[in-house]
Amino acid sequence: MISFSSPLTSIPGIGPKISEKLSKLKLQTVKDVLYYFPFRYLDFSKISKISELSDGQIATVYGKIEKVSIYKTFHKKMWIVEATISDETGKVKAVWFNQKFLINTLKEGKTANFAGKVFLQKKYFTFQNPMFEMIADEFQETRHTGRLVPVYPQTEGVTSKMIRFVVSKILPYFKDSPEFLPEEAVEKFNFPSLSDAFAQIHYPDTEEQAKQAEKRFSFQDLFLLQLINASEKENLLRQESYSCNYTPEQVKKIISVIPFELTLGQKKALYEILEDVKKNYPTSRLLQGDVGSGKTIVAAIASLIVAQNGNQAVLMAPTEVLARQHYETFKKYFSAQNKNVLNEGELIGCGVALMTSAQSIVFYGDGLESKVKKNELINKTKSGEIKIIIGTHSVIQKNVVLKNPALVIIDEQHRFGVKQRSKLVSEKEMIPHFLSMSATPIPRTLALTAFGDLDLSIIGELPKNRKPIITKAVNSSNRQKAYDFVSQQIKSGRQAFVICPRIEPPDPEAPLTSRQLFNLEVKSVKEEYEKLSKKIFPQFKIVALHGRMKSAEKQKIMEAFRNKEYDILVSTSVIEVGVDIPNATIMLIEGSEHFGLSQLYQFRGRVGRGEHQSYCLLFSDINSKTTAYRMKALVNAKNGFELAEIDLKLRGPGQFLGQEQSGLPDLAMKAIQNPQLIQSARDSAYEIIKSDPELKNHPYLSAYTKQFKNQIHLE
Ligand code: ADP
Ligand code: MG
């Protein structure tokens, strides 16, 4: 029996030779081929009469092979096969270059379809290298001509023609594959059945039917993704977590020492998170909020509530710099808490720790901070003496054991999920609540698809005291003017960031690139640092920062910059996320065309955090239309979500999901701009899981989902 998992060689007519070749495209099973979709179709659907042909037309004709000859060109010594084809309306010529073997197939007197482009040469119409297909009788189904013909992504030695051959051998075995999509969805969108969809995506009757088939497969992927999300969520419901309670008075008291009023968005998000940690099964939430919207304080309050319940909270940041900054925030904030609240005994024994590969520090209150040995910190964490642990990836190292973690917060790392979470709990049965924070505004459709297992909280506004940042695209002729402006800002006491796309200038030994040749060099931190400190701003104190520095060194620099020991910080994108320096008012970005809109938006969010008017200056050496459009979008954008939608259109969904591949299937990604499809897929999936959590009554769907899960390696 031929099934999805059968090897290709199990199909009569497909031998080891072809199967070997197809394995180059990772096509090993029958299913692999069925799901290897064409990326376009050639329209050979209409059979033309020879008398109707016109110069340059792409056409298919059906005719009798009149005469076949073969000869060698005089100059190039190339074999040419030439045939004359006739139908009842006239004659046409066909020539093939370098395909001597065709002489064995093109037999005079036989009939065939010929498809390709025709040219008028001298008096004759001529097909050049047409596809052809011998036609024995009028009922024969065609593969290469006389229809919409699929074109596949091919590789050396594996042509579309070969794939067509294999596909057409396989398709007949799947004429009635069982349907596994929910009936309502199939009806609602008028999807073809699975079998019809296979047939129509490979050999469509019309373009419209090919589109419907593709839409079905998109939906299928989205649906399966959501099904996995839904069942993971359902699973969590049956696990256990520490439940942390809170009272309104408790929260009010904590908030009373904060020097500003929380925004409405912050209050709402805080409430949602506190309701999460109250549950006795693990919850998962994504907290989205523009840069500067104040996510840290929300995380800090929630952590404190957890600590007051006697449980532990962990906050993990992507970089040393950020971990350190978060630690400082917590420290400042807890000192204030201690002054107000400690005498009532609520915080006694509640330690806060910074844990990175470079440092381990513990803090218990004003004047009670000390550097400790890593081992000591690990012991204090294990014993539960430390209630709040802030750090980098160090906190999920094997030797770090937590006593009773109730909340894990991940800052700015999208795909940190279930697996890493399980590392934090090691052998414990209690799974912590999970909060992921992100300043990258992710379009809603994408969030629902890629992070469908997370609940969503959004801080939609910035604190009131913020002035909008003045954003200007600066062309090269205005560079000096811009520098003068920077100089003036620094003289009045402000600081500036300069961002460059790369760390080092290109190696002079390396072969010249076209960018260098045309002076389109990508600005590097090192060169820019030299230039600014020696030539442009010799009067100011400038420092360089990049990702290849030791973390201790980076930290020192950031702290020195924060303490105003430097006026200008020249950096790569390492300062991208989260860095908070309210005195900085200039964000100057070199080579801005090298960054995505969302990334530029992030950079810009580094300034405008204090009471001073701030500026973002975008330098670009390339004056393309897209660059101009992007710059305009950035200048006009009201919020990050708006830009995210534009970015999604311009650069696709990959960028939102971090450097690595998103792990999501292409077709699902293609459908990401179709909210209706996504919502439907989600609704259907949740409905099924609700009534049949283990898919016991949906055996075929269950099998399909398992395979799909393996295929996409969602974490
Ligand atoms: P992000 O959401 O980008 O992580 P942060 O948490 O770093 O933002 O907050 C940015 C700055 O805004 C910090 O200096 C913080 O103290 C301040 N801040 C946070 N919430 C408010 C508020 N409601 N009013 C005024 N300032 C606030
Ligand atoms: Mg932040």
Side-chain angles (χ1 to χ4, degrees), residues 590-605:
E590 293 283 358
S592 50
E593 71 275 10
H594 293 278
F595 301 104
L597 277 178
S598 294
Q599 211 179 1
L600 290 174
Y601 186 77
Q602 299 277 329
F603 290 141
R604 183 172 63 179

Side-chain angles (χ1 to χ4, degrees), residues 258 260-263 266 289-298 325-326 329 332 411-412 437 439 459 462-466 578-580 582 605-606 609:
I258 302 174
F260 43 74
E261 160 101 20
L262 291 183
T263 63
Q266 284 174 311
D290 266 4
V291 264
S293 61
K295 295 182 289 295
T296 318
I297 198 79
V298 173
Q325 184 183 294
H326 284 325
T329 303
K332 189 167 82 192
D411 194 22
E412 300 296 353
M437 305 198 293
I459 303 181
L462 294 177
K464 283 194 206 72
N465 56 357
R466 301 286 157 74
V579 173
D580 188 27
R606 301 301 117 227
R609 297 189 151 219

Side-chain angles (χ1 to χ4, degrees), residues 254 258 270 273-274 287 294-307 313 315 326 329-331 333-334 337 388 390 407 409 435 437:
I254 292 175
I258 302 174
L270 177 62
I273 295 162
L274 291 179
L287 173 58
K295 295 182 289 295
T296 318
I297 198 79
V298 173
I301 298 167
S303 301
L304 189 56
I305 292 284
V306 165
L315 171 59
H326 284 325
T329 303
F330 274 65
K331 212 175 96 183
Y333 179 54
F334 286 105
Q337 291 293 337
I388 298 174
I390 300 160
L407 176 62
I409 305 167
L435 175 65
M437 305 198 293

Side-chain angles (χ1 to χ4, degrees), residues 320-366:
E320 290 266 343
V321 171
L322 266 181
R324 176 82 200 191
Q325 184 183 294
H326 284 325
Y327 171 71
E328 294 296 337
T329 303
F330 274 65
K331 212 175 96 183
K332 189 167 82 192
Y333 179 54
F334 286 105
S335 297
Q337 291 293 337
N338 283 347
K339 276 196 200 97
N340 278 266
V341 190
L342 190 64
N343 51 5
E344 287 171 36
E346 279 149 327
L347 277 176
I348 291 173
C350 167
V352 178
L354 175 66
M355 185 189 288
T356 70
S357 54
Q359 31 189 348
S360 16
I361 304 177
V362 294
F363 175 85
Y364 296 95
D366 271 351

Side-chain angles (χ1 to χ4, degrees), residues 182 185 188-189 191 215-227 229-230 442-453 456 645 648 653 664-687:
K188 176 171 174 193
F189 294 104
F191 289 141
K215 195 165 165 193
R216 183 215 142 94
F217 287 117
S218 289
F219 181 88
Q220 189 177 306
D221 281 357
L222 292 168
F223 171 70
L224 293 172
L225 274 172
Q226 296 292 355
L227 207 62
N229 285 336
I442 300 163
R444 191 182 147 74
T445 50
L446 186 59
L448 281 179
T449 306
F451 315 112
D453 53 335
L456 214 54
E645 297 290 345
L648 182 64
L664 299 175
D666 292 349
L667 277 183
M669 289 293 96
K670 226 173 158 176
I672 216 69
Q673 299 192 41
N674 188 342
Q676 200 206 3
L677 209 61
I678 288 170
Q679 195 58 48
S680 268
R682 192 173 161 84
D683 293 346
S684 307
Y686 276 78
E687 201 167 296

Side-chain angles (χ1 to χ4, degrees), residues 444-710:
R444 191 182 147 74
T445 50
L446 186 59
L448 281 179
T449 306
F451 315 112
D453 53 335
L454 305 180
D455 293 318
L456 214 54
S457 285
I458 292 174
I459 303 181
E461 76 266 63
L462 294 177
K464 283 194 206 72
N465 56 357
R466 301 286 157 74
K467 293 194 185 87
I469 299 156
I470 296 174
T471 304
K472 288 246 146 52
V474 182
N475 59 28
S476 12
S477 59
N478 283 329
R479 189 171 270 273
Q480 190 50 48
K481 241 182 167 169
Y483 283 148
D484 292 343
F485 179 72
V486 173
S487 170
Q488 180 199 322
Q489 282 280 309
I490 294 176
K491 276 191 199 133
S492 65
R494 305 284 80 77
Q495 290 165 287
F497 292 106
V498 174
I499 304 286
C500 301
R502 56 188 289 169
I503 301 176
E504 281 176 280
D507 180 359
E509 305 283 299
L512 190 72
T513 66
S514 66
R515 295 191 68 87
Q516 287 165 281
L517 178 64
F518 297 109
N519 208 11
L520 294 175
E521 263 164 68
V522 180
K523 292 264 192 268
S524 76
V525 166
K526 288 187 177 165
E527 280 174 309
E528 206 54 22
Y529 169 73
E530 290 293 316
K531 184 180 118 191
L532 293 177
S533 54
K534 298 218 168 97
K535 291 194 194 133
I536 315 277
F537 301 122
Q539 72 276 34
F540 296 139
K541 286 174 299 246
I542 305 181
V543 68
L545 181 86
H546 57 75
R548 237 179 272 156
M549 288 173 159
K550 288 245 167 61
S551 64
E553 199 180 349
K554 278 192 275 185
Q555 209 131 76
K556 247 185 155 160
I557 293 172
M558 281 315 289
E559 254 164 53
F561 188 60
R562 196 194 305 277
N563 296 333
K564 303 187 193 167
E565 289 166 42
Y566 295 104
D567 304 305
I568 300 175
L569 178 74
V570 185
S571 170
T572 52
S573 61
V574 286
I575 68 139
E576 181 180 352
V577 273
V579 173
D580 188 27
I581 298 180
N583 189 51
T585 56
I586 300 267
M587 172 55 65
L588 190 160
I589 301 166
E590 293 283 358
S592 50
E593 71 275 10
H594 293 278
F595 301 104
L597 277 178
S598 294
Q599 211 179 1
L600 290 174
Y601 186 77
Q602 299 277 329
F603 290 141
R604 183 172 63 179
R606 301 301 117 227
V607 296
R609 297 189 151 219
E611 75 254 44
H612 311 288
Q613 175 63 56
S614 292
Y615 305 86
C616 177
L617 307 174
L618 300 160
F619 285 61
S620 167
D621 297 322
I622 287 181
N623 293 320
S624 77
K625 241 192 192 153
T626 331
T627 311
Y629 175 69
R630 277 166 22 102
M631 292 310 120
K632 209 166 144 198
L634 189 67
V635 172
N636 295 334
K638 278 189 235 23
N639 59 46
F641 286 97
E642 207 179 286
L643 282 178
E645 297 290 345
I646 299 176
D647 245 3
L648 182 64
K649 287 202 186 91
L650 284 181
R651 295 165 42 117
Q655 64 191 308
F656 295 104
L657 306 170
Q659 288 88 342
E660 318 88 274
Q661 285 275 311
S662 69
L664 299 175
D666 292 349
L667 277 183
M669 289 293 96
K670 226 173 158 176
I672 216 69
Q673 299 192 41
N674 188 342
Q676 200 206 3
L677 209 61
I678 288 170
Q679 195 58 48
S680 268
R682 192 173 161 84
D683 293 346
S684 307
Y686 276 78
E687 201 167 296
I688 289 185
I689 290 295
K690 213 166 125 198
S691 64
D692 182 15
E694 274 149 49
L695 296 179
K696 282 191 181 123
N697 307 324
H698 297 79
Y700 192 61
L701 179 58
S702 167
Y704 225 97
T705 311
K706 274 199 195 102
Q707 279 177 28
F708 184 76
K709 210 167 169 175
N710 288 336

